[in-house]
Amino acid sequence: MRLISLFIPVIAALTLSACSPEKQAEAPAPFALTEAAMGRYCGMNVLEHSGPKGQIILHPASEAIWFSSARDTLAFTMLPEEPKNIAAIYVSDMAKAPSWEQPGAQNWVDAKKAFFVINSNATGGMGAKETVPFSTREAAEQFAKDKGGDIVTFADIPQDYVLGTSDTPAEAPMSTHH
């Protein structure tokens, strides 16, 4: 009986670790960008636009919601009327993109781990200011050196940069394109 009482804490710890939030919260893998991807806000084929793209996968994961720009992807997370059951947010890793015109179909980076260049002279899929994502700070620094801009993380992206402010309308209005 004493031996069993020694093992109960071990069994309990193993059971709890199997149900830990880290295991349950494992993000689904990104989807490959295909010709079937239509932008959430513009309703156009995502591949028709240059610059970084994005996808959001809601829980339960069955398909991606596509965006013509990384900026639109981030806007989705900020708009109160959009779903909040987000399982994963992926943006094009422009450090691995073949070119600005061809950002790639499978080079995704978790937006929460990416480095973004804002306030650069690069424009995104709908001709608006872009939040240009990179998997490494070094790649973001090189881009900012070439195109101008500031490097920020996901948590530090100003909401008014993405959504616009009352005195500076967003070039690509997000909430009016549903």
Side-chain angles (χ1 to χ4, degrees), residues 22-152:
E22 293 83 33
K23 298 230 184 255
Q24 291 176 350
E26 187 174 316
F31 288 81
L33 181 59
T34 68
E35 291 181 14
M38 295 295 167
R40 168 78 169 206
Y41 297 122
C42 67
M44 299 169 66
N45 187 300
V46 171
L47 293 174
E48 292 178 11
H49 306 286
S50 60
K53 312 292 177 237
Q55 61 176 290
I56 290 182
I57 304 168
L58 300 178
H59 180 78
S62 60
E63 62 184 48
I65 299 171
W66 294 101
F67 300 89
S68 298
S69 69
R71 182 179 177 192
D72 283 359
T73 310
L74 300 173
F76 182 95
T77 69
M78 297 174 179
L79 292 169
E81 67 268 19
E82 294 294 5
K84 300 302 172 209
N85 56 326
I86 296 172
I89 307 165
Y90 294 106
V91 287
S92 300
D93 181 359
M94 295 307 285
K96 298 176 182 170
S99 69
W100 188 259
E101 290 72 33
Q102 299 293 320
Q106 296 192 33
N107 51 306
W108 301 103
V109 60
D110 180 336
K112 293 184 178 181
K113 296 177 182 175
F115 298 92
F116 293 88
V117 177
I118 61 172
N119 299 314
S120 74
N121 62 15
T123 57
M126 296 300 292
K129 293 181 190 177
E130 185 57 276
T131 53
V132 187
F134 297 91
S135 57
T136 66
R137 178 172 285 282
E138 296 76 24
E141 288 170 352
Q142 184 60 52
F143 184 86
K145 181 179 172 186
D146 295 343
K147 303 278 187 189
D150 305 299
I151 300 169
V152 295

Side-chain angles (χ1 to χ4, degrees), residues 133-178:
F134 297 91
S135 57
T136 66
R137 178 172 285 282
E138 296 76 24
E141 288 170 352
Q142 184 60 52
F143 184 86
K145 181 179 172 186
D146 295 343
K147 303 278 187 189
D150 305 299
I151 300 169
V152 295
T153 61
F154 179 84
D156 296 326
I157 296 171
Q159 187 167 333
D160 63 347
Y161 181 82
V162 174
L163 300 177
T165 61
S166 58
D167 60 341
T168 310
E171 285 92 352
M174 305 305 162
S175 61
T176 59
H177 287 224
H178 291 281

